[in-house]
Amino acid sequence: MAEKWKILLKGIIKENPVLVLVLGTCPTLAMTTSLSNAVGMGLSVLFVLVCSNIVISALRKLIPDQVRIPAYIVVIACFVTVVKMLLQAFVPALFASLGTFLDLIVVNCIILGRAEMFASKNTVLDSALDGVGMGIGFTLALIVMATIREVFGAGTFFGLAVPVLENYHFSILTQPTGGFFIFGCVMALTIKLTAGKAPIRKSFGCEGCPSAAVCHRDACSGDAGKEAN
């Protein structure tokens, strides 16, 4: 049981996909200008992550190794389509606000990375727990950043004006520059809270990259660059 809890909880802080593993940066910066967008994107990714992890884990022994990445993408795309249809039917305003970033969930490196690095190697239950933990971690990271950016950048909270900050807010926080600034601050706070126990990435090369299996690693090597010259 302790091992199950460890799998579930690791994605929330210690191995948070956004703040520690530095994955899913694009939707993180784009969707944290408002809390409604952050919650919508976070829950969408959580749903797709859990469902795709379960299916991929259940089929891991049936999917040929040569086509595993295309197979994973097909599974993920199916659940993304389900999310889009549900949002369009029941929350059309949120659907329109999230826009193309819903489609980009298909190639979100968090989801594809967990499929390749965890779900394809572990049981259905463990994969489901991993999906829940990573999904919650992603959602919480978006909510924290969105709260700071919307409240102090726009003077609103879930679209409702905050009287104290209505005329005293920093609009730069809702812009890309402010997004990167808040992102860095929250990352630093996460490292401080984990007392350095979080697995800080010291290298951004091919090792540990969730997409390493589907790219040409030689293209990133120094030798390849020399040969090209």
Side-chain angles (χ1 to χ4, degrees):
M1 183 59 71
E3 187 65 25
K4 303 300 181 186
W5 275 107
K6 183 178 179 181
I7 294 174
L8 176 65
L9 297 176
K10 69 179 181 180
I12 297 178
I13 295 182
K14 187 177 180 181
E15 294 184 25
N16 187 284
V18 175
L19 304 176
V20 176
L21 303 182
V22 200
L23 300 174
T25 305
C26 180
T28 297
L29 294 174
M31 293 291 103
T32 53
T33 54
S34 71
L35 267 167
S36 58
N37 286 351
V39 173
M41 176 57 67
L43 294 180
S44 297
V45 170
L46 172 60
F47 174 81
V48 175
L49 185 55
V50 173
C51 294
S52 60
N53 265 18
I54 290 174
V55 172
I56 290 170
S57 177
L59 299 177
R60 68 186 187 281
K61 295 181 180 179
L62 301 177
I63 300 175
D65 188 63
Q66 296 85 346
V67 296
R68 70 186 188 283
I69 300 299
Y72 297 164
I73 293 176
V74 170
V75 171
I76 295 169
C78 289
F79 290 112
V80 170
T81 302
V82 171
V83 169
K84 289 181 60 179
M85 294 174 67
L86 290 173
L87 289 178
Q88 189 173 18
F90 298 103
V91 198
L94 181 60
F95 173 78
S97 182
L98 295 181
T100 188
F101 285 97
L102 280 174
D103 297 304
L104 292 177
I105 293 177
V106 175
V107 290
N108 190 307
C109 50
I110 298 174
I111 300 175
L112 188 58
R114 299 320 294 174
E116 171 71 9
M117 299 174 67
F118 196 93
S120 62
K121 302 177 179 66
N122 292 274
T123 64
V124 172
L125 177 58
D126 286 352
S127 298
L129 293 175
D130 178 77
V132 171
M134 290 291 171
I136 291 176
F138 176 76
T139 303
L140 289 178
L142 262 62
I143 289 175
V144 170
M145 288 185 59
T147 300
I148 298 173
R149 295 184 69 187
E150 182 180 354
V151 172
F152 295 102
T156 61
F157 182 77
F158 271 111
L160 301 175
V162 179
V164 179
L165 299 173
E166 190 172 3
N167 298 317
Y168 302 96
H169 54 268
F170 307 94
S171 57
I172 192 174
L173 294 181
T174 62
Q175 300 174 8
T177 303
F180 278 105
F181 174 74
I182 297 300
F183 189 26
C185 290
V186 176
M187 287 178 65
L189 179 61
T190 301
I191 294 174
K192 180 66 175 179
L193 291 176
T194 57
K197 295 180 180 179
I200 303 174
R201 290 182 64 175
K202 297 180 179 180
S203 172
F204 288 84
C206 291
E207 183 179 358
C209 174
S211 300
V214 294
C215 73
H216 300 290
R217 301 186 185 191
D218 293 339
C220 300
S221 66
D223 295 337
K226 293 178 182 178
E227 292 178 3
N229 294 328

